[in-house]
């Protein structure tokens, strides 16, 4: 029980620390990113958490993450030029960026509203407190009631 509690606390800390420090952890080439604007709607909604994977296989219409002026951004590939540069833009707001394929940090491979809701619930402080109470107090009370302790 305490090992599960430790895993939950570590997972919570890892996720919330990553979101607050703009450090995006990577596990086996996969990473996640929370989108904080509505420039990518309707494909990617404001507040969505997307899964990124580094890949060299890019095509027009893909959403890619890259760093610009110290900020991690996600934009849609509008065109791949002959010299392998990417012409990027938001879906519903024009702010063009041109980067080399070397500047791509990852391609969006997963975007799902239900996944976003689950992650937001799991990284909520009140959810963590409720889980701790449930994991520690409920088994203790149950064991005492049935005479196991």
């Amino acid at each position: 029980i305490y090992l599960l509690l430790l895993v939950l606390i570590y997972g919570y800390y890892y996720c919330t620390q990553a979101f607050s420090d703009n450090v995006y952890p990577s596990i086996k080439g996969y990473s996640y990113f929370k989108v904080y604007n509505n420039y990518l709607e309707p494909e990617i909604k404001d507040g969505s958490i997307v899964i990124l994977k580094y890949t060299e296989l890019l095509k027009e219409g893909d959403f890619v993450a890259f760093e610009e002026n110290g900020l991690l951004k996600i934009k849609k590939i509008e065109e791949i030029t002959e010299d392998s540069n990417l012409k990027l833009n938001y879906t519903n707001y024009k702010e063009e960026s041109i980067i080399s394929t070397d500047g791509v940090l990852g391609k969006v491979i997963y975007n799902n509203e239900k996944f976003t809701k689950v992650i937001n619930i799991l990284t909520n402080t009140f959810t963590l407190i409720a889980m701790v109470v449930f994991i520690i107090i409920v088994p203790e009370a149950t064991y005492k009631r049935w005479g196991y302790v």
Side-chain angles (χ1 to χ4, degrees):
I1 289 176
Y2 296 110
L3 180 61
L4 179 61
L5 178 63
L6 183 64
V7 168
L8 284 173
I9 291 172
Y10 178 75
Y12 170 79
Y13 175 76
Y14 188 71
C15 290
T16 55
Q17 193 67 25
F19 283 138
S20 65
D21 290 346
N22 288 331
V23 174
Y24 302 95
S26 179
I27 300 171
K28 300 243 181 209
Y30 292 89
S31 188
Y32 60 89
F33 178 71
K34 188 166 188 173
V35 177
Y36 289 104
N37 65 47
N38 61 358
Y39 299 151
L40 301 170
E41 289 186 2
E43 288 98 336
I44 301 175
K45 296 186 184 319
D46 182 26
S48 292
I49 297 172
V50 295
I51 303 293
L52 305 169
K53 179 166 178 32
Y54 178 76
T55 180
E56 293 180 1
L57 303 173
L58 302 172
K59 63 184 183 306
E60 292 177 10
D62 286 344
F63 287 91
V64 293
F66 64 101
E67 194 169 325
E68 185 176 71
N69 300 326
L71 297 172
L72 187 66
K73 293 187 175 186
I74 294 179
K75 290 187 179 181
K76 190 175 192 175
I77 299 175
E78 285 188 339
E79 181 184 341
I80 301 175
T81 64
E82 291 177 11
D83 55 351
S84 295
N85 285 331
L86 304 175
K87 184 178 173 185
L88 307 172
N89 223 325
Y90 291 117
T91 304
N92 60 17
Y93 176 78
K94 297 298 177 196
E95 183 187 286
E96 189 175 283
S97 299
I98 297 177
I99 64 166
S100 72
T101 52
D102 296 336
V104 173
L105 300 175
K107 172 182 165 182
V108 174
I109 60 165
Y110 189 73
N111 170 38
N112 184 295
E113 287 184 49
K114 291 179 183 174
F115 173 74
T116 297
K117 288 179 183 177
V118 168
I119 295 298
N120 284 334
I121 289 169
L122 292 176
T123 57
N124 183 313
T125 305
F126 295 113
T127 303
L128 178 67
I129 293 169
M131 286 181 180
V132 168
V133 167
F134 185 78
I135 289 172
I136 292 176
I137 295 176
V138 170
E140 293 285 332
T142 304
Y143 289 140
K144 285 180 182 177
R145 181 172 183 215
W146 294 100
Y148 294 118
V149 177

